[in-house]
Amino acid sequence: MTEKLRPCPICGGEARLQLTDEEGNFKDESYLENPYSGVGYVLVHDISDSETCPIATHCDEALGTIIYASKEAAINTWNGRTEDNLTNYIFKVMNIFYGSFINHNNELILVPKTNLYFYLGDVNTVDKVKYKLLEWCSRSCFKAMPYRYAKKNKEYQDDVLRKVNECLDMEFTREQMELIYTKLGNCINHELTMKFVSSGYDMKLLEER
Ligand SMILES: [Zn+2]
């Protein structure tokens, strides 16, 4: 069962899928004839193939703690490297902010007209893009006034709010965005931003204190 798995990102060595029961106990293929305690799959990256790899394990041990319900799920996780996901996510953000571009300073210019942007140089995961959206774009969702007329400013704010929400798969209101800006804006409390994102945007984290 070595099909379709990409090489290890660290050592370039081979990883394989291992059939298990529901609890992660290794099984051979004959177990599938009568899988009395469920079927699972785990990833194995055997140290005997890659003696110096820091994430390799013994040949009878699984990588990590996740038991996948299908081969496909295990393969997708192993093959879905951060950099692939990151590129895809940045493309998603750029599609939502139609007309955006990345300049020679590695800044993602989301709205050229108002120069709404953030720096991509220190971004290496999808979550870090989300931190930037919260820290550097929340103000524009309710408060920015790049135009002369109130009506245009309101339209602009609503537009940025809608787009940021789409990037984050959320439906934050203006009021919630104001709280986000107050607590997280301009990278004022980066640790809290990280907590907020990993909690699945639990507003209670921001409401406290
Ligand atoms: Zn490795």
Side-chain angles (χ1 to χ4, degrees):
M1 283 199 285
T2 55
E3 72 268 25
K4 291 183 252 162
L5 285 174
R6 291 172 59 180
C8 170
I10 296 174
C11 71
E14 195 175 276
R16 63 184 176 84
L17 288 175
Q18 170 67 51
L19 174 67
T20 68
D21 63 14
E22 250 168 16
E23 286 167 345
N25 301 304
F26 285 19
K27 298 286 180 189
D28 59 35
E29 293 286 320
S30 66
Y31 171 72
L32 288 175
E33 289 160 21
N34 177 25
Y36 51 88
S37 66
V39 170
Y41 293 90
V42 294
L43 292 156
V44 174
H45 181 37
D46 183 350
I47 193 80
S48 63
D49 293 335
S50 331
E51 281 173 19
T52 55
C53 183
I55 65 165
T57 64
H58 297 292
C59 62
D60 57 349
E61 286 173 354
L63 274 184
T65 56
I66 299 176
I67 301 162
Y68 298 92
S70 69
K71 283 186 193 181
E72 289 67 35
I75 291 169
N76 287 343
T77 301
W78 176 258
N79 287 353
R81 297 290 159 69
T82 304
E83 67 266 31
D84 297 347
N85 294 343
L86 179 60
T87 306
N88 290 340
Y89 189 65
I90 288 174
F91 274 129
K92 175 182 162 171
V93 170
M94 292 183 76
N95 256 310
I96 291 168
F97 281 90
Y98 187 77
S100 58
F101 65 93
I102 298 170
N103 71 12
H104 62 282
N105 287 324
N106 209 358
E107 291 160 340
L108 174 53
I109 314 294
L110 293 168
V111 184
K113 216 169 186 173
T114 62
N115 201 28
L116 177 64
Y117 77 97
F118 55 76
Y119 179 58
L120 280 178
D122 52 357
V123 165
N124 55 6
T125 63
V126 168
D127 276 355
K128 285 187 183 174
V129 180
K130 295 176 179 171
Y131 305 158
K132 297 266 178 171
L133 284 165
L134 293 167
E135 289 171 341
W136 300 106
C137 302
S138 51
R139 184 178 185 277
S140 292
C141 295
F142 71 100
K143 195 180 191 179
M145 292 191 288
Y147 296 103
R148 230 168 116 182
Y149 299 103
K151 183 167 168 275
K152 259 203 119 182
N153 286 324
K154 169 83 170 36
E155 280 169 8
Y156 172 71
Q157 294 157 11
D158 287 344
D159 188 53
V160 175
L161 175 62
R162 184 180 57 74
K163 288 171 175 168
V164 169
N165 271 330
E166 205 179 332
C167 292
L168 300 174
D169 276 322
M170 289 300 294
E171 287 179 21
F172 291 123
T173 63
R174 289 174 80 89
E175 290 67 33
Q176 287 174 320
M177 220 24 121
E178 184 165 358
L179 182 61
I180 289 169
Y181 172 70
T182 308
K183 293 297 172 79
L184 311 176
N186 304 321
C187 202
I188 194 176
N189 189 344
H190 191 61
E191 217 158 283
L192 187 57
T193 306
M194 294 193 287
K195 243 193 222 168
F196 183 57
V197 171
S198 69
S199 74
Y201 311 106
D202 181 359
M203 291 302 292
K204 282 195 210 98
L205 288 174
L206 308 185
E207 284 154 9
E208 287 159 8
R209 274 169 291 131

